[in-house]
Amino acid sequence: MELKTIQHLCELSKLNYEDEALEKVMSEMTDIIELMDTIKSFDLTYDDTKDNNSIKFCETREDVAKPSFPTEKLLSNAENTDNCYVVPKVVE
């Protein structure tokens, strides 16, 4: 990366560096660009067999209805018994 390019980027970013710091920024930017170039070499094609999408609907268990807990018993200790559950406020 050229010094002129770094100076232009610093101007656009409204950053002011001394000459020594500018050289350091230039080497760091070069390292970042080299890292991005290595990332480009990775194969990022999507493979749906690797994210557990291989489970088919016919392989799932059968949905069986079971009787639920009696409402009267659940509400026996509640303050308000208008078939409502009163819970503490979670979000302020």
Side-chain angles (χ1 to χ4, degrees):
M1 183 165 268
E2 296 178 4
L3 185 61
K4 186 176 178 180
T5 307
I6 295 295
Q7 288 171 335
H8 180 67
L9 289 173
C10 288
E11 183 181 329
L12 291 173
S13 309
K14 299 187 188 294
L15 298 173
N16 294 322
Y17 288 108
E18 299 294 325
D19 289 338
E20 310 88 43
L22 201 57
E23 292 291 328
K24 183 179 177 189
V25 168
M26 187 168 70
S27 73
E28 290 173 351
M29 288 295 283
T30 303
D31 291 342
I32 292 170
I33 290 171
E34 287 173 1
L35 177 66
M36 292 298 118
D37 286 340
T38 59
I39 290 174
K40 286 183 197 176
S41 66
F42 291 113
D43 182 21
L44 300 176
T45 54
Y46 178 68
D47 185 5
D48 63 348
T49 61
K50 293 184 179 179
D51 63 359
N52 294 330
N53 276 347
S54 60
I55 299 172
K56 301 197 177 16
F57 183 72
C58 62
E59 297 173 358
T60 58
R61 66 173 172 79
E62 184 180 342
D63 191 15
V64 179
K66 296 180 181 178
S68 64
F69 213 73
T71 306
E72 299 79 29
K73 188 159 186 144
L74 289 173
L75 293 173
S76 64
N77 292 330
E79 293 177 19
N80 184 357
T81 56
D82 296 331
N83 276 345
C84 296
Y85 297 103
V86 179
V87 295
K89 185 176 174 182
V90 178
V91 180
E92 293 182 32

